[in-house]
Amino acid sequence: MSEREVPGGEGATALGEGGEYEDVFARAKAYEGQAAAVGGVGKDLVNEPMIRHWCEAMGDTNPAYAGADATAPPTMLQAWTMGGFSGHAGRSEAYDELLGLLDDAGYTSVVATDCEQEYLRPLRPGDAITFDAVIESVSERKTTKLGTGYFVTTRMDVRVAGRPVGTHRFRILKYVPAVRRRGAPRAEGAAAIPKTAGAAKVARPEPSKRPRPVVNRDNAGFWEGVSRHRLLIQRCDGCRTLRFPWLPGCNACGCPDWDTVEAGGEGTVYSYVVMHHPPFPAFDPPYAVGLIELAEGVRMISNVVGVPHDRVRIGMPVRLEFEQVDEELELPVFRAVERSGV
C-alpha cells in the first residue's frame, strides 16, 4: 500500500463508511502544526504601481496610499506573497502530502472559502517580504451545499527585515461534489412530488435553516449588539467618521482605533433588488433586498419587510426591527413605514 493510499483495502474511498472516514480524518489531523511553506520570498518589493492598480480596481481614493509617505492598503497583504503562474518553490512536502491524502480518499475538488488577516504595521514601497506558513487546522468532515469534505486552514506569517508585519489565514474546502440523484426534485421545486393512490399526505423534508453569518474578530461586536437588539455603527477615534460594514481600520484616515454609536433605526431605501432566481433553501422568493441608507449616513444591506416586494420603492422610509429567523438566529431587517396621508 502506498503512503497516501486510503487504508481499508482496494476500493476504499471517501464514499466509504464509519471507520474509513475516521481514519482519513485522523491521518489528515496529524498534519496540523506542520509547515506549509518555508522561507518564502515575495517576488516583488512593495511598490507604488501595484498599489495604484489595486486602488483603481477597488475604487479606493484614500490619500494614505499615494504620495511621498504612501503606505500599501492593508488588505493587499496577500498580494505581496502570491507566486503568480510560476508559483513559489517554498511549498512543503507536508502540505502536498495532506492534499494528496484527501485526493486519494476521493476529496478531489477544492474551493477557497474565506480568509482572515491581521495587520501589525503598515507596509511601504521598498519593503521586501518574506513569509512562512503552517497547516493550522483540519476540520472534521462537513457536509455543505457543494458536497462533503474537510476545511483546511493555513496560517501565513509575513515579515519585513525579519520582523512580523501581518498574518494571513486562508481556508479551503477539499470535498466530494454533491451529485443530485436522477429524478430527484429540483432545488427550485419545479419537479412535482408524485402522488400515490390513497396517499393522504406526502412527507416533505424539514425546511433548511438560513445560512449562518460569518462572525470573526472584526465584526463580533456588531453581532453581539444584534443579540441585544442594538444596531451598532463603528466610529473612527481619529477623524470621527462613521463606517459600515465593520472594518479593522478607518478607510478615511487609516486610524485603527474606534468606538461605536447606536443607530436610531430610521432609514430609507437607497436601492433594492427583487430576488426571483436562483432559489436558495430557507428563502421564499420573490423577496426584496434593500440597500438601506440609515439616518446616520451609512448604508447596509438587509431585507425590506412589511410590504409586498413589488411595492418597494427607492426613497421609501423604513424602520429597523429584529426578526427571529429560527431558534438560533436573529437578524436586523427594515420594515416599510407608511407615509401619513398616503
Side-chain angles (χ1 to χ4, degrees):
M1 183 171 70
S2 69
E3 203 171 79
R4 293 195 298 198
E5 188 175 334
V6 177
E10 186 175 347
T13 71
L15 302 180
E17 296 297 332
E20 290 167 6
Y21 283 128
E22 294 171 4
D23 187 83
V24 170
F25 174 59
R27 294 179 64 193
K29 197 79 171 169
Y31 284 95
E32 289 185 347
Q34 296 192 43
V38 178
V41 178
K43 291 193 170 182
D44 297 286
L45 301 179
V46 176
N47 63 85
E48 293 178 7
M50 185 64 75
I51 294 171
R52 177 172 54 81
H53 292 323
W54 175 282
C55 290
E56 288 178 357
M58 300 301 292
D60 193 337
T61 59
N62 192 319
Y65 307 142
D69 297 319
T71 63
T75 50
M76 286 189 74
L77 183 66
Q78 185 187 18
W80 311 115
T81 68
M82 297 175 74
F85 287 115
S86 59
H88 278 295
R91 197 162 93 166
S92 72
E93 290 185 9
Y95 191 66
D96 288 336
E97 288 175 5
L98 170 59
L99 298 187
L101 165 67
L102 296 174
D103 282 342
D104 291 347
Y107 303 95
T108 54
S109 295
V110 62
V111 63
T113 61
D114 64 288
C115 71
E116 297 178 25
Q117 295 182 334
E118 183 177 359
Y119 314 116
L120 303 180
R121 81 142 170 91
L123 295 176
R124 295 179 171 81
D127 283 343
I129 299 296
T130 59
F131 59 89
D132 298 296
V134 65
I135 302 167
E136 189 168 70
S137 67
V138 179
S139 75
E140 295 183 358
R141 185 166 53 90
K142 306 287 186 180
T143 298
T144 73
K145 188 76 172 178
L146 288 175
T148 298
Y150 297 88
F151 289 94
V152 178
T153 303
T154 54
R155 188 193 74 241
M156 179 180 290
D157 297 313
V158 183
R159 301 179 180 86
V160 171
R163 295 178 179 276
V165 294
T167 299
H168 176 77
R169 284 180 172 84
F170 191 71
R171 190 170 293 109
I172 63 171
L173 172 65
K174 287 284 287 176
Y175 66 100
V176 179
V179 178
R180 188 170 67 86
R181 297 188 306 276
R182 180 173 297 183
R186 296 179 182 273
E188 61 268 29
I193 298 176
K195 294 182 180 179
T196 57
K201 191 176 182 180
V202 177
R204 296 183 182 271
E206 289 285 327
S208 299
K209 289 184 176 181
R210 284 278 191 97
R212 306 292 101 168
V214 175
V215 181
N216 56 37
R217 74 185 79 183
D218 294 327
N219 65 14
F222 170 77
W223 290 107
E224 194 276 332
V226 168
S227 72
R228 295 186 286 119
H229 288 189
R230 300 178 65 205
L231 184 63
L232 299 179
I233 303 169
Q234 283 183 308
R235 179 174 58 189
C236 175
D237 275 357
C239 65
R240 310 307 283 171
T241 298
L242 299 180
R243 65 178 185 263
F244 194 92
W246 281 37
L247 297 169
C250 180
N251 53 11
C253 73
C255 177
D257 301 318
W258 51 270
D259 59 9
T260 61
V261 297
E262 182 176 358
E266 305 292 336
T268 57
V269 176
Y270 184 83
S271 184
Y272 71 97
V273 296
V274 176
M275 294 296 298
H276 295 272
H277 188 83
F280 296 100
F283 292 85
D284 185 20
Y287 55 91
V289 179
L291 178 60
I292 308 301
E293 185 164 76
L294 299 176
E296 290 76 13
V298 299
R299 298 171 189 158
M300 68 176 291
I301 295 173
S302 186
N303 289 104
V304 180
V305 301
V307 66
H309 67 274
D310 56 359
R311 288 184 54 196
V312 177
R313 295 290 183 268
I314 290 174
M316 173 180 283
V318 291
R319 181 162 184 80
L320 172 71
E321 61 181 48
F322 293 87
E323 180 179 295
Q324 191 75 43
V325 176
D326 56 44
E327 67 276 8
E328 301 170 348
L329 181 62
E330 196 166 16
L331 296 173
V333 298
F334 289 86
R335 181 169 294 276
V337 176
E338 295 292 339
R339 290 187 175 95
S340 59
V342 178

